Amino acid sequence: MTRLPHLALSLAGLSLLGGCAGVPSGTQPVGDFQLERYYGQWHEIARLPNSFEEGLSCVTADYSPREDGGVRVINRGLDADKGEWSQAEGRAYFTQGSETAALKVSFFGPFYGGYNVLALDDDYQWSLVAGADRDYLWILAREPQLDDGTYQALVDKAAELGFATDSLIKVEQGETCPVADGES
């Protein structure tokens, strides 16, 4: 498995160019957020194009507690052209209190980008996540596939919030994805 130095550098650039780990204007992170329920593995169902995930499929994010009270973040994806898994480890911290799903995340030193849950299933089975601005958007789910109705509702919500949903990339997931080293 290779590390993603370009991922870390891109996220550092995102932090510097985006200016902060804020929330896109006109949006509101989910309240009544329960971090313990958010822990575990999420599958990336769709994303807006970004340089640090270019060419990656079978993308997952794993969230777990850190000893310092933060969140350990492990992002993993398959570069099918190279036949290799790529992984980046980061850390995240709340920016508006632990009941509001607004966090700052870093994969590179002191540089942070926004991680804002804008919509979340009551049972924590899917989420709509944005960066600090409308250039970054992800649809995540606990399972590798999301039913068409839920997917379309999330796309519609993102469009209402001003995201360029016509540019969303559906991420290859499911049975076509081999198991990464170290996963079971």
Side-chain angles (χ1 to χ4, degrees):
M1 185 172 318
T2 59
R3 301 288 285 158
L4 280 180
H6 65 281
L7 171 61
L9 292 174
S10 295
L11 285 173
L14 164 67
S15 299
L16 292 173
L17 294 174
C20 67
V23 179
S25 64
T27 69
Q28 180 66 42
V30 169
D32 252 349
F33 184 67
Q34 297 173 22
L35 179 59
E36 295 77 21
R37 293 181 68 196
Y38 202 78
Y39 286 146
Q41 184 177 71
W42 291 83
H43 298 270
E44 189 177 272
I45 304 301
R47 66 174 176 255
L48 284 179
N50 61 65
S51 61
F52 49 90
E53 289 184 284
E54 188 173 345
L56 295 182
S57 59
C58 307
V59 179
T60 60
D62 288 283
Y63 305 102
S64 60
R66 287 176 48 94
E67 287 184 16
D68 65 2
V71 178
R72 180 177 183 229
V73 181
I74 305 269
N75 288 343
R76 191 176 287 125
L78 178 66
D79 183 332
D81 290 341
K82 294 180 182 177
E84 296 178 350
W85 285 96
S86 297
Q87 177 175 304
E89 182 171 343
R91 61 193 187 283
Y93 301 93
F94 286 103
T95 61
Q96 299 181 18
S98 63
E99 291 188 5
T100 302
L103 297 96
K104 61 182 183 177
V105 63
S106 176
F107 290 89
F108 184 71
F111 305 105
Y112 285 87
Y115 184 99
N116 302 289
V117 181
L118 302 181
L120 180 62
D121 176 51
D122 289 341
D123 293 325
Y124 287 63
Q125 296 303 300
W126 52 254
S127 65
L128 180 67
V129 178
D133 59 31
R134 285 178 177 74
D135 291 336
Y136 298 93
L137 182 75
W138 296 268
I139 295 174
L140 305 177
R142 292 293 188 175
E143 298 296 325
Q145 307 298 321
L146 190 59
D147 71 83
D148 291 339
T150 301
Y151 176 78
Q152 191 57 54
L154 290 168
V155 170
D156 292 346
K157 170 79 172 171
E160 289 171 17
L161 294 172
F163 289 88
T165 56
D166 290 345
S167 298
L168 279 172
I169 298 168
K170 279 194 149 181
V171 178
E172 182 180 332
Q173 291 285 0
E175 294 178 17
T176 60
C177 295
V179 174
D181 296 337
E183 283 189 355
S184 54

